[in-house]
Amino acid sequence: MSDFLIREEKSSEVLIELQYLPCLEYFTCILQYDRVYIDIAERYVKQTYRNRCSVLTTNKIDTLTIPVKGYLPASSTKDILIDYNQDWTRRHLGCLQSAYGKSPFYEYYVHEFTRVYEKKLAYLVDLNYELLTICLRLTGITNEIQYNLSGGENDRNGVENAISLINNRKQPDLHKYYHPTPYYQTFGNDFVGNLSIVDLLFNMGPEAKSVLLRSCKSQ
């Protein structure tokens, strides 16, 4: 408990990017800083958590990817358009139903996510923003969060730059902000850590924040 008290008293700021239904490390990072700047104008990097997340299905980890329209190599994330020519929303919602339909809290939360997908938002940042807003509320995370364009306030000293630091290419023992803390999962006998936040929410509901706090890696 003392570690949590120290973390809450720590005055600090961090800069991160928007991600799609982010992994648990994203939220343990947020919990460890008093103020979080989310940069929506940083350079878009393909095949990252910006447009994909991982969930646990019957026999495997499944990656859900949002298809995006063509863009230039130096494009800003805020300019990335979602490609609805592919019926990806049905695939994502169907996968969530298959993976978590029998989880304790799926029926309480899924309608909130479904309403966002039904909007067919044009820009990736808008979709990610609305989904993240839901996840922060459901987990009870109230840390100060500001959505900024690149530069400006983010250039000042004292703000840790964690852009692209939380990514899907790291080995489990290389996480900076997260260490796996087992919780109930619908499928499998072996715990799988650092999945999308929906895995934690659908399985643990109101206990999600306490799991995240226990999963914070000491800095």
Side-chain angles (χ1 to χ4, degrees):
M1 179 62 69
S2 59
D3 288 343
F4 300 154
L5 292 175
I6 292 171
R7 187 178 301 115
E8 290 174 357
E9 293 170 359
K10 178 182 175 184
S11 178
S12 53
E13 302 175 325
V14 67
L15 174 67
I16 54 178
E17 76 275 16
L18 262 177
Q19 296 186 359
Y20 173 54
L21 293 176
C23 63
L24 300 193
E25 184 174 22
Y26 192 90
F27 292 90
T28 58
C29 172
I30 290 174
L31 282 168
Q32 294 179 64
Y33 293 89
D34 294 320
R35 182 176 293 109
V36 179
Y37 298 105
I38 297 183
D39 190 343
I40 63 171
E42 46 91 33
R43 183 176 65 85
Y44 182 73
V45 182
K46 65 180 181 180
Q47 298 181 354
T48 64
Y49 283 145
R50 289 167 179 81
N51 73 322
R52 65 190 57 205
C53 69
S54 298
V55 298
L56 185 61
T57 59
T58 310
N59 299 311
K60 63 175 184 176
I61 297 174
D62 199 351
T63 299
L64 300 178
T65 302
I66 300 174
V68 299
K69 295 183 178 180
Y71 57 90
L72 297 174
S75 292
S76 167
T77 297
K78 68 180 177 60
D79 297 325
I80 299 299
L81 289 163
I82 298 172
D83 185 0
Y84 285 98
N85 288 325
Q86 304 178 46
D87 193 11
W88 65 270
T89 56
R90 178 178 302 202
R91 146 114 168 108
H92 288 212
L93 290 172
C95 182
L96 293 180
Q97 166 70 41
S98 175
Y100 302 111
K102 295 182 179 180
S103 296
F105 297 94
Y106 176 83
E107 64 179 289
Y108 296 101
Y109 296 155
V110 68
H111 64 281
E112 298 204 42
F113 296 98
T114 301
R115 281 200 292 261
V116 176
Y117 290 108
E118 289 174 346
K119 292 181 180 181
K120 290 198 170 182
L121 297 164
Y123 288 91
L124 181 65
V125 291
D126 292 332
L127 176 69
N128 287 350
Y129 164 78
E130 292 211 18
L131 292 174
L132 179 61
T133 300
I134 292 171
C135 294
L136 289 169
R137 175 168 51 79
L138 293 180
T139 53
I141 294 175
T142 57
N143 300 52
E144 182 179 347
I145 295 177
Q146 298 181 17
Y147 295 86
N148 291 10
L149 298 175
S150 294
E153 285 187 83
N154 297 333
D155 290 334
R156 62 185 171 180
N157 294 329
V159 178
E160 179 172 350
N161 188 345
I163 294 287
S164 293
L165 189 62
I166 300 169
N167 62 68
N168 51 321
R169 300 171 184 176
K170 286 189 173 182
Q171 297 299 317
D173 59 345
L174 295 179
H175 296 307
K176 179 173 182 179
Y177 303 105
Y178 170 82
H179 71 85
T181 299
Y183 57 85
Y184 168 80
Q185 292 176 319
T186 304
F187 295 115
N189 296 319
D190 297 322
F191 174 74
V192 179
N194 209 34
L195 295 169
S196 166
I197 188 65
V198 295
D199 184 84
L200 178 60
L201 284 170
F202 290 148
N203 285 315
M204 298 300 292
E207 295 183 54
K209 186 176 181 180
S210 65
V211 174
L212 290 170
L213 285 170
R214 295 196 300 272
S215 302
C216 288
K217 190 172 184 178
S218 299
Q219 301 269 330

